[in-house]
Amino acid sequence: MTELDSQRYLHRLIARRDELKSVSATADAAAETVELDQTRVGRLSRMDAMQLQAMSQENQRRRSEELVRISQALSRIKADEYGYCVECGEAIAENRLAVDPAQPLCIQCASAHEKEQGI
């Protein structure tokens, strides 16, 4: 991978990281504990609030996972190891990185992991 390619992905990764942090900051309130005061809110409204809370918590978990993957990718760029599979060391296809610049695995290793997990 050329220095120019690494810099392009670096900028994309940083922009995505900043976007995720911004969304996380505004979404924290939705993941807070749902108040179960029956005098203020009806049963169905509480159920809706609890469902929205669960969805918000799952979105928060996914954002956290993506932030970790982005941080790892940024570390690989600094170490000049970006664009190579962390499992086998082979180059990751350019098209794969274009879709997900934080991708740590080549297609063969990713497929093997999916088979192991039964996905």
Side-chain angles (χ1 to χ4, degrees):
M1 174 156 302
T2 67
E3 179 68 26
L4 184 60
D5 290 336
S6 293
Q7 289 302 311
R8 182 175 48 129
Y9 288 120
L10 174 71
H11 293 298
R12 284 186 58 198
L13 288 163
I14 290 172
R16 180 66 178 153
R17 180 191 63 192
D18 293 345
E19 177 185 350
L20 289 170
K21 285 183 177 183
S22 174
V23 170
S24 289
T26 59
D28 285 343
E32 291 179 359
T33 304
V34 175
E35 188 174 319
L36 296 177
D37 182 3
Q38 293 182 4
T39 60
R40 290 181 35 197
V41 180
R43 184 171 57 96
L44 293 177
S45 295
R46 282 193 314 280
M47 289 172 54
D48 284 343
M50 290 170 67
Q51 183 179 20
L52 287 173
Q53 176 196 28
M55 290 187 317
S56 179
Q57 288 172 340
E58 176 61 17
N59 285 335
Q60 194 172 35
R61 184 192 66 78
R62 289 180 185 188
R63 279 191 302 274
S64 294
E65 283 182 3
E66 188 173 356
L67 284 168
V68 167
R69 289 183 340 99
I70 288 171
S71 176
Q72 292 169 343
L74 291 171
S75 295
R76 288 193 304 276
I77 288 174
K78 278 186 181 178
D80 203 28
E81 298 171 354
Y82 183 76
Y84 298 97
C85 179
V86 297
E87 292 284 323
C88 68
E90 294 294 320
I92 299 172
E94 185 77 24
N95 290 341
R96 188 164 173 77
L97 290 173
V99 171
D100 181 6
Q103 188 57 248
L105 301 173
C106 67
I107 193 72
Q108 291 83 10
C109 291
S111 295
H113 277 271
E114 287 178 1
K115 285 180 185 177
E116 288 173 5
Q117 295 175 353
I119 296 176

